[in-house]
Amino acid sequence: MKTVGVLALQGDFDAHRKAVERAGARAIEVRTAADLSQCDGLILPGGESTTILKLLEDEKLLEPLRNFGQEKPIYGTCAGAILLAREVTHPVQPSLSLMDIVVERNAYGRQIDSRIARVPVNGQDELEAVFIRAPIIRRVGGEVRVLARYHGDPVWVEQGRHMVTTFHPELTDDPRIHRHFVDKL
Amino acid sequence: MYLSEDFRLKVGLAEMLKGGVIMDVTNVAQAKIAEKAGAAAVMALERVPADIRKEGGVARMASIRVIREIMEAVSIPVMAKARIGHFMEARVLEALGVDYIDESEVLTPADEEHHIDKRESKVPFVCGARNLGEALRRIAEGAAMIRTKGEAGSGNIVEAVRHMRTIIKEMKQLTVLGKEELVHEAKNLGAPLELVEWVAANGKLPVPNFSAGGIATPADAALVMQLGAEAVFVGSGIFKSEDPDTRARAIVKAATYFNDPVKLLEASEELGEAMRGLDVSKLPESELLQTRGW
């Protein structure tokens, strides 16, 4: 059985742990560089990207994460998508730069603009997408494949081994997206 | 109600705050310090609880200008407090578009019998609780997050510990009861049977369970996290200490590494003086904030 690490510095890592288990893999919480050695892949959960980034900097985890991403798959949701991006705006902040995407933070607005939408995948199956103070992917590079869009904006994309969603499949019972990630390991 | 999209979105934001620290701030400068230190959200209010306690008078919702300035200054969620039962303060905050409303015992209650009906609001609410019955009544009214009341502005963790232990113990007790016993317990708790049954089946609250009221050190934050809190609110503990910036960073680190004594040790060094604490057992009943609301 594959082991998926869930970065557990701050955010909804517990919901991801359960979602990974529903997708048929083992989940462990990752708080130190040493924890990464046990993982076949890593999830960067939702949460506050400024908080997670601050802890990554203070605990000197940015380099270990970048190195991990050179070899193994990483999946970022919402704040995790912001961390994986090449460029972050609104406001500008540093990131891991593992995916060729430009992400605008809090792009739908505040909590009152949070929403649950049904987005088509592969032009057929619908997926329930929970957006919470979500970012918008404003630009994608040539190697990035868009798997789902909402109002024309990419909301689920992958590039090589990595992928992001700007919404939270871990807050639904639908295991498809986590299964898709586990299949990449 | 608990499966409605609105309620799921409200709980969803609380999920995103887990493992984090929500810091009380009274102006933009403090909000920026909090954000830079790694706060997962800030709570905008007029005075921190320790000052409300000292200065007395009526404590109300913060000035709209200050809340708006804070909302514009930081990118993290901004919460604000409304008085218990003051549903018009809450509606004003909803119109302003704050991310969470705290119907808080720290402010002077506007209604001694009724809490706000929180179900209709688009903005999620957090409410304080001392025990399971109180927590479930607030959830029944629509709260999407519960926090212990503790004793705000005291710098003393004893009440937050008491409340968290009480809620956790009362939930554990429900898990071993039979169906007919749960009906009786619902009566004792003064809580809807539907919620009592949910807790009995799941062993936890149907919304995130955070801690507040007396957290002043990294070890305090780690203690309540060990007891079952999923995130912490720090009121006076940061901006009433000698070195708010360092202390804020340290408490953020403690909320993440609450299970790692070596990291906690790192977080606890060179913090400067903590806020001055109060012996809650010596406070007259009339000065307790936790007895406001029911």
Side-chain angles (χ1 to χ4, degrees), chain B residues 80-140:
Chain B
K81 287 184 193 289
R83 285 179 263 180
I84 289 175
H86 206 317
F87 55 87
M88 289 318 294
E89 278 187 352
R91 287 202 197 152
V92 169
L93 292 173
E94 183 181 2
L96 180 60
V98 300
D99 296 297
Y100 242 94
I101 297 171
D102 185 2
E103 185 185 17
S104 176
E105 69 282 2
V106 167
L107 305 186
T108 311
D111 189 326
E112 295 185 334
E113 271 182 44
H114 309 100
H115 283 255
I116 299 169
D117 179 359
K118 296 165 271 284
R119 289 168 289 191
E120 294 304 314
S121 172
K122 286 284 283 176
V123 174
F125 276 76
V126 50
C127 287
R130 289 163 296 172
N131 53 52
L132 183 59
E134 201 171 358
L136 295 182
R137 286 191 290 278
R138 297 295 83 77
I139 295 167

Side-chain angles (χ1 to χ4, degrees), chain B residues 131-134 136-137 170 174 177-197 294:
Chain B
N131 53 52
L132 183 59
E134 201 171 358
L136 295 182
R137 286 191 290 278
E170 289 177 329
L174 289 186
L177 297 182
K179 278 184 184 166
E180 69 283 9
E181 292 171 305
L182 290 176
V183 179
H184 184 70
E185 263 318 290
K187 174 178 162 249
N188 289 343
L189 289 167
L193 178 61
E194 178 199 3
L195 284 172
V196 170
E197 286 177 335
W294 50 275

Side-chain angles (χ1 to χ4, degrees), chain A residues 9-12 31 46-48 50-51 54-55 59 105-106 110-112 114 118 128 132-133 168 171, chain B residues 5 8-9 12-13 16-18 36 38-40 71 75-78 97 99 123 249 253 256-257 263:
Chain A
L9 300 180
Q10 193 274 320
D12 73 335
R31 290 189 178 81
E48 277 310 308
T50 51
T51 304
K54 168 89 190 117
L55 286 159
E59 301 304 316
R105 291 184 56 203
N106 298 332
R110 307 195 73 92
Q111 172 64 11
I112 41 175
S114 291
R118 270 112 210 123
E128 188 185 56
I132 295 176
R133 286 174 48 94
H168 297 281
L171 296 184
Chain B
E5 292 196 351
R8 287 173 59 205
L9 286 169
L13 180 54
M16 298 309 142
L17 297 172
K18 283 184 176 176
K36 206 156 165 264
M71 288 165 68
S75 65
I76 55 179
V78 176
D99 296 297
V123 174
R249 285 163 199 270
K253 180 163 170 163
T256 295
Y257 294 102
K263 295 271 191 196

Side-chain angles (χ1 to χ4, degrees), chain A residues 24-82:
Chain A
R26 191 169 81 97
I28 62 165
E29 293 183 354
V30 171
R31 290 189 178 81
T32 63
D35 295 335
L36 284 172
S37 61
Q38 306 169 52
C39 305
D40 299 306
L42 182 70
I43 291 178
L44 309 181
E48 277 310 308
S49 64
T50 51
T51 304
I52 299 172
L53 188 63
K54 168 89 190 117
L55 286 159
L56 287 174
E57 285 170 347
D58 286 359
E59 301 304 316
K60 301 185 173 55
L61 287 170
L62 284 171
E63 269 320 295
L65 281 194
R66 279 198 189 99
N67 294 338
F68 184 88
Q70 298 304 325
E71 293 173 8
K72 292 179 177 164
I74 303 183
Y75 166 33
T77 57
C78 197
I82 294 165

